[in-house]
């Protein structure tokens, strides 16, 4: 199995910053990409940012220039970070980590974290 553990959400005033972390562990052979999605009340889950194993990044237009995604690998644990600056009330949502790749059994996986709440007050 592949486990994703998120941390770093919370309450912040508009204009503030937060950093989310997500650590992937388990029977991982390789990771193709990791990313962050968010879902606000009454809205569909949407991609915020993603990063590939080759460090290619992709951002939603709404967060371009304010959010930065990065990743690291240490002792077989793959971690993805989302640095969120200049936060706006419309960034309020539950943020979910996602990872996809191949297990040690060579089966593909697409796993989600449990979600972490980000609330931006005006």
């Amino acid at each position: 199995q592949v486990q994703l553990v998120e941390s770093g959400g919370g309450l912040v005033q508009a204009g503030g910053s937060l950093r989310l972390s997500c650590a992937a562990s388990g029977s991982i052979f390789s990771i193709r990409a990791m990313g962050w999605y968010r879902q606000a009340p009454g809205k569909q889950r949407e991609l915020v940012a993603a990063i590939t194993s080759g460090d290619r990044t992709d951002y939603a237009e709404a967060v371009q220039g304010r959010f930065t995604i990065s990743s690291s690998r240490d002792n077989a644990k793959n971690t993805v970070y989302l640095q969120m600056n200049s936060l706006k009330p419309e960034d309020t949502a539950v943020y979910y980590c996602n990872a996809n790749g191949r297990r040690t059994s060579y089966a593909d996986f697409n796993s989600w974290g449990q979600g972490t709440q980000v609330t931006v007050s005006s």
Side-chain angles (χ1 to χ4, degrees):
Q1 289 192 352
V2 176
Q3 298 86 33
L4 300 181
V5 178
E6 302 153 341
S7 61
L11 172 64
V12 65
Q13 288 189 331
S17 298
L18 283 174
R19 190 189 195 210
L20 305 182
S21 300
C22 171
S25 62
S27 55
I28 298 172
F29 176 75
S30 63
I31 289 183
R32 296 187 191 94
M34 297 184 73
W36 290 94
Y37 290 70
R38 67 186 181 187
Q39 188 167 19
K43 295 188 176 182
Q44 288 188 333
R45 190 174 297 187
E46 62 178 3
L47 174 68
V48 177
I51 186 167
T52 69
S53 58
D55 290 333
R56 184 175 66 86
T57 58
D58 188 25
Y59 295 92
E61 186 175 345
V63 307
Q64 190 81 35
R66 299 188 296 122
F67 292 10
T68 303
I69 190 168
S70 60
S71 64
S72 67
R73 178 180 170 86
D74 181 32
N75 293 330
K77 181 174 287 186
N78 297 271
T79 305
V80 65
Y81 306 94
L82 186 67
Q83 178 67 42
M84 304 185 293
N85 299 328
S86 302
L87 282 160
K88 304 176 180 180
E90 51 263 44
D91 294 317
T92 295
V94 178
Y95 284 68
Y96 297 91
C97 177
N98 173 268
N100 65 82
R102 185 160 290 181
R103 292 191 176 97
T104 52
S105 64
Y106 297 106
D108 289 340
F109 73 87
N110 184 41
S111 298
W112 292 90
Q114 77 281 4
T116 185
Q117 178 69 47
V118 171
T119 302
V120 184
S121 63
S122 57

